DNA sequence: CTGAAAGCGCTTACAG
DNA sequence: CTGAAAGCGCTTACAG
């Protein structure tokens, strides 16, 4: 369809309906105080003419302010993963500079459910128009979502999502699938008869939904699609201290001398790499997650064959943009937006480290 | 730095300088007719206050129109690669809907230098404000670039670039590096002592700059970083007909019985896959480029281990945005923007097929 | 060389 | 319930 004329304006609608632009504006914004008959007439014309407001003019005049709030884990020294999100959010904010949007960033201790709860209260005190957060703690996150739902505040989830919860959109990886991706890569670089060791490094594996789901995807690949015939061995390392890693790994390696590859379900591949480096073991292939500085170091040193990236900056960037578009433009796109699962090796890693959104 | 007040306006500058906003506007837009002394005074204030115009107001009022023109190969039945670019450009245009930007898309026959030349004339007749094009033919592209340079028309190159030529920006893969990425992947999945066959399918390999450069990167990996000790064999297949492929491949396979892997330097992996399928050969690993429908089919069937993607939609999307930002906002970002080199296997391919920009 | 004024398409009180 | 008017921050003739 090619439109011959110019874009239709409020003024045009008004003259078509034989009313003033003030009245048209009232029906567009549902401000009431319009006779039912007039309202219907205007709504029809709006429909027929496919009217959409000129955002430039609206923003220029409007005094409406949108306050967004993010609630994400605070980055720690060894976990640069959560440093990427602020970068992505700030890129989005730069693009939205002229749109009267503000963002308040609140962080919580990723180890503490209690701190998370405390920070959710801070978020609510700000009376946000929209919230973006990472549902690290399942039950606490469910509760927070339902409070926000009751208040009519839209929520974008990133990094993971919880089923049977109300939210506007999720932006992040398809966790199960990303386990399968790692499975295929591992299968390709591991001799057929060698054993494969899966490693979870976390306090309480049961509570950490995404590690479970990744591991399930990884094992699913071998059950249904892979060729490897070796044993699949799993080890849970309860804390990230060098000592614990050493004890657990020494033990498991002695028990299973036929191990060919390691799969690290979370972002702490570097801990295992440090262990292997210290022990002088270079015979294992290894695959893990996230482009932390230390992980990249060990990728380049050849300890890891691949890292899988989940685009943390892009998750955050798109989350902010999505909230804005929903609030400001009433746009609604896909609820589930699965970002591509990046396969990264030492040759292409540099292109992924530099965040391309700016 | 936190700015306490509101954004500075033309009006504020004017009152600081003791002149009217018209005069300020004249110095901002270099429209002359301003006393040197006044001009300098205003320029200083502009500097000190770090003034930037309100784009909303500018666009709302301005009658300035920007006409962009794209000149890209026309997609063919078997080459869906060039179908992706219009998608990316249209996504960009949707975002720019309110900015008075228009885009005229012109395509040329990728086989014909003559057609390309003819189409460059069409482009010039349109008097474009900015041009985005793919420099497929080297000498013709050099000429086109210099004509545009003389006319002061900014140029964004995608898909490849030519050294010693003037252009505003290049957006695309680092071609040599992408050859190295393919090299590492091949090395990982090929037994150490097996031979590796590199395949170029093109009329005139000498003229096709990016295939040469990829192949160079691929071989560079094995010379400097790889572990494979097998022979590196190269074959040039001069045309993409089934017959020619069959003849050439039959011949080379018979000559070298120790081949373990194939590297296809261009986007025609599916041709080799079809050949292997017909011959019932499933013993080779294979790596190629671009997520054409047929390539993806053979990736999923297991004939190819990996495809390497170069984000054609994103190249086109960012190209349009870059031209707009340069013309409209006077923004200048990096001249060389290397997009990440995507490693794609049958497990993550679906996330890459769906274009995320919308 | 400079200023005053109209107007882009909206939103927002205000008057009736 | 409805209309007329002011004004967001710019650009663009026009008058002097």
């Amino acid at each position: 369809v090619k439109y011959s004329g110019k874009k239709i304006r409020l003024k045009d609608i008004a003259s078509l309906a034989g009313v003033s632009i003030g009245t048209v504006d009232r029906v567009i914004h549902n401000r009431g105080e319009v006779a039912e008959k007039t309202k219907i007439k205007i709504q029809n014309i709006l429909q027929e003419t496919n009217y959409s407001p000129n955002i430039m003019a609206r923003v220029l005049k409007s005094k409406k302010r949108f306050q967004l709030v993010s609630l994400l884990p605070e980055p720690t020294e060894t976990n640069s993963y959560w440093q990427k999100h602020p970068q992505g959010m700030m890129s989005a904010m730069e693009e939205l500079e002229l749109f009267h949007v503000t963002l308040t960033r609140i962080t919580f201790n990723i180890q503490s459910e209690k701190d998370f709860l405390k920070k959710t209260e801070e978020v609510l005190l700000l009376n946000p128009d929209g919230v973006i957060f990472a549902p690290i703690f399942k039950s606490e996150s469910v509760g927070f979502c339902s409070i926000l739902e009751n208040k009519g505040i839209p929520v974008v989830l990133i990094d993971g999502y919880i089923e049977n919860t109300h939210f506007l959109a999720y932006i992040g990886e398809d966790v199960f699938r990303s386990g399968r991706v790692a499975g295929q890569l591992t299968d390709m670089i591991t001799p057929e008869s060698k054993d494969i060791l899966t490693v979870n490094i976390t306090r309480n594996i049961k509570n950490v939904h995404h590690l479970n789901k990744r591991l399930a995807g990884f094992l699913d690949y071998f059950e249904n699609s892979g060729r490897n015939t070796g044993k699949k061995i799993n080890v849970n390392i309860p804390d990230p201290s060098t000592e614990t890693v050493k004890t657990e790994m020494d033990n498991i390696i002695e028990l299973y001398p036929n191990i060919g590859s390691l799969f690290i379900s979370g972002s702490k591949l570097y801990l295992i790499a440090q262990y292997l480096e210290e022990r002088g073991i270079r015979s294992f292939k290894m695959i893990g997650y996230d482009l932390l500085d230390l992980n990249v170091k060990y990728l380049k040193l050849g300890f890891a064959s691949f890292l899988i990236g989940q685009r943390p900056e892009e998750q955050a960037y798109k989350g902010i943009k999505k909230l804005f578009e929903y609030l400001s433009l009433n746009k609604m796109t896909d609820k589930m937006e699965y970002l591509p699962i990046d396969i990264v090796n030492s040759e292409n890693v540099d292109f992924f480290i530099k965040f391309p959104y700016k």
Side-chain angles (χ1 to χ4, degrees), chain A:
Chain A
V1 184
K2 168 128 184 169
Y3 294 98
S4 53
K6 299 177 62 98
K7 196 161 187 278
I8 198 138
R9 301 158 302 172
L10 222 42
K11 201 196 231 177
D12 304 318
I13 307 282
S15 83
L16 283 170
V19 297
S20 76
I21 59 167
T23 305
V24 178
D25 194 66
R26 259 170 230 120
V27 352
I28 287 174
H29 291 92
N30 268 316
R31 290 201 263 123
E33 303 187 18
V34 181
E36 193 61 21
K37 212 177 125 190
T38 325
K39 185 177 164 185
I40 290 173
K41 188 172 178 186
I42 292 174
Q43 282 174 331
N44 285 336
I45 296 176
L46 250 21
Q47 281 268 315
E48 285 159 22
T49 55
N50 199 21
Y51 173 77
S52 71
N54 183 315
I55 301 297
M56 304 292 168
R58 173 177 287 178
V59 169
L60 191 58
K61 183 59 194 157
S62 179
K63 292 272 160 282
K64 204 182 276 173
R65 258 71 185 152
F66 292 113
Q67 183 173 207
L68 308 183
V69 179
S70 68
L71 181 59
L72 301 176
E74 61 201 18
T76 61
E77 227 177 304
T78 51
N79 194 341
S80 56
Y81 180 69
W82 292 102
Q83 274 167 10
K84 312 275 179 77
H85 298 78
Q87 291 173 38
M89 292 195 291
M90 294 327 282
S91 300
M93 291 307 293
E94 269 171 41
E95 289 184 23
L96 302 180
E97 195 200 337
L98 293 164
F99 287 94
H100 308 145
V101 187
T102 60
L103 169 67
T104 308
R105 288 185 283 148
I106 296 181
T107 59
F108 62 93
N109 182 335
I110 199 169
Q111 310 280 357
S112 163
E113 283 89 338
K114 207 175 141 191
D115 188 52
F116 176 77
L117 276 179
K118 199 178 112 199
K119 297 304 176 56
T120 62
E121 311 225 336
E122 273 184 41
V123 173
L124 293 170
L125 279 176
L126 287 168
N127 263 318
D129 298 294
V131 171
I132 175 171
F133 86 100
I136 304 286
F137 305 116
K138 186 165 170 173
S139 67
E140 289 79 1
S141 297
V142 169
F144 189 40
C145 274
S146 70
I147 293 173
L148 292 167
E149 185 185 0
N150 287 336
K151 287 179 176 279
I153 301 170
V155 174
V156 168
L157 299 180
I158 61 171
D159 198 63
Y161 71 94
I162 297 164
E163 274 140 48
N164 305 320
T165 298
H166 184 268
F167 52 88
L168 181 73
Y170 166 68
I171 299 165
E173 71 167 13
D174 179 335
V175 186
F176 184 84
R177 196 78 191 184
S178 105
R180 282 192 55 102
V181 172
Q184 184 174 75
L185 292 173
T186 305
D187 200 27
M188 279 181 166
I189 60 176
T190 309
E192 230 168 296
S193 59
K194 283 280 191 177
D195 298 343
I196 293 170
L197 175 67
T198 59
V199 183
N200 306 302
I201 304 176
T202 182
R203 231 180 349 147
N204 178 4
I205 178 71
K206 283 195 190 124
N207 225 7
V208 188
H209 189 235
H210 68 283
L211 296 192
N212 273 316
K213 220 163 173 177
R214 269 187 199 155
L215 187 56
F218 185 82
L219 296 174
D220 180 78
Y221 183 84
F222 289 99
E223 275 158 34
N224 298 308
S225 322
R227 41 155 224 156
N228 180 282
T229 57
K231 285 201 259 306
K232 308 297 173 294
I233 307 141
N234 184 66
V235 60
N236 294 325
I237 299 180
D239 77 87
S241 72
T242 314
E243 266 319 302
T244 312
V245 169
K246 202 177 285 179
T247 314
E248 298 281 345
M249 288 301 294
D250 276 349
N251 182 36
I252 201 95
I253 286 176
E254 202 190 327
L255 265 168
Y256 298 96
N258 193 39
I259 290 172
S261 296
L262 310 186
F263 167 71
I264 322 299
S265 62
S267 63
K268 298 206 187 334
L269 177 137
Y270 65 91
L271 281 178
I272 306 299
Q274 284 167 341
Y275 162 80
L276 295 174
E277 191 176 33
E278 204 192 305
R279 284 280 186 254
I281 303 173
R282 302 228 37 162
S283 55
F284 298 146
K285 313 277 184 183
M286 189 155 56
I287 289 185
Y289 281 83
D290 299 330
L291 309 185
L292 312 192
D293 294 347
L294 277 171
N295 285 346
V296 170
K297 172 186 160 187
Y298 286 106
L299 177 71
K300 289 190 172 175
L301 284 173
F303 283 91
S305 299
F306 292 103
L307 292 174
I308 293 182
Q310 42 180 331
R311 307 194 179 187
E313 313 88 343
E314 193 171 330
Q315 291 185 24
Y317 171 89
K318 289 194 166 169
I320 295 292
K321 296 272 274 194
K322 212 146 199 164
L323 276 177
F324 163 74
E325 282 169 7
Y326 175 78
L327 289 168
S328 198
L329 316 179
N330 297 312
K331 260 196 221 167
M332 204 28 225
T333 45
D334 300 339
K335 182 172 181 179
M336 302 303 290
E337 183 167 341
Y338 292 119
L339 297 185
I341 296 162
D342 289 324
I343 299 174
V344 179
N345 65 14
S346 60
E347 291 296 326
N348 71 346
V349 63
D350 288 334
F351 299 108
F352 286 94
I353 289 173
K354 164 182 165 298
F355 178 47
Y357 288 80
K358 55 172 168 227

